[in-house]
Amino acid sequence: MFEIDSSMDPVLLGVAWMIGHWEGTGHGASEDGENYTYSATIDFAENGGNYLHYIMQLFETDDKGRPTKSLGMETGFWRPQADGQIEVVIVHPQGIAEVYVGKIEGAKIELTTDLVARTLTAEVPVTGGHRLYGNVESDLMFTYDRGTADQDLQPLLWARLARA
């Protein structure tokens, strides 16, 4: 059972359902169109401020579903606004930073990139993204579509995670 801390900044109420540790299995599509399965963990944490800290990690798994190798990670900050809008800043160790803007509608959050920055050595020439997060039957579901200099926006990751 998830409980909302009464001392939490009221601006966080629209995203409070996300706070905690989530685990599960997801699916991805590589740039060459090949699909794959991965395990994922997502953590959302609140520290008394008006934002959530976020970290997602993806892992290759063995035949028993146990994580064996890191496939990637991202971290950032979710900044809900009093009017139901949200700003999200996400950075990747591959040299990519994304700023998203979106709207909180109940247990659904839809995000579109406002800005993408890449280092000179970024592994992927990301140009934009679209993300959707939702609470479905108490699980966290998300999708991530990504565009690059070589490809228009297309599905990259999608998953359903349970609160652990």
Side-chain angles (χ1 to χ4, degrees):
M1 177 65 94
F2 174 73
E3 292 183 29
I4 295 175
D5 182 343
S6 62
S7 67
M8 180 183 302
D9 188 312
V11 78
L12 295 177
L13 292 178
V15 295
W17 65 269
M18 300 174 92
I19 296 170
H21 179 75
W22 303 85
E23 296 179 357
T25 302
H27 304 280
S30 63
E31 289 186 14
D32 60 9
E34 222 173 289
N35 290 336
Y36 59 93
T37 301
Y38 58 86
S39 72
T41 63
I42 294 180
D43 290 282
F44 287 95
E46 161 302 299
N47 70 354
N50 60 354
Y51 60 88
L52 297 182
H53 176 252
Y54 157 84
I55 185 167
M56 178 171 73
Q57 299 183 77
L58 306 180
F59 301 94
E60 199 173 89
T61 57
D62 63 17
D63 58 354
K64 292 184 170 63
R66 296 179 298 222
T68 58
K69 175 183 165 188
S70 175
L71 290 175
M73 68 183 302
E74 58 186 37
T75 190
F77 299 93
W78 290 58
R79 302 177 60 237
Q81 306 301 305
D83 64 358
Q85 301 296 311
I86 187 166
E87 302 166 348
V88 179
V89 179
I90 296 175
V91 295
H92 307 259
Q94 295 86 3
I96 302 160
E98 301 168 289
V99 176
Y100 286 87
V101 294
K103 183 148 184 74
I104 302 167
E105 296 175 323
K108 174 183 143 188
I109 300 169
E110 188 165 3
L111 305 169
T112 304
T113 47
D114 184 48
L115 171 77
V116 177
R118 301 184 309 265
T119 63
L120 292 175
T121 60
E123 293 178 19
V124 179
V126 174
T127 57
H130 178 264
R131 294 176 184 239
L132 185 61
Y133 294 79
N135 185 320
V136 178
E137 298 172 344
S138 298
D139 288 344
L140 170 63
M141 295 188 73
F142 78 89
T143 65
Y144 173 30
D145 297 349
R146 181 181 75 184
T148 68
D150 304 319
Q151 294 182 322
D152 291 336
L153 205 62
Q154 64 182 19
L156 178 69
L157 301 172
W158 55 99
R160 183 173 187 150
L161 309 178
R163 189 180 298 278

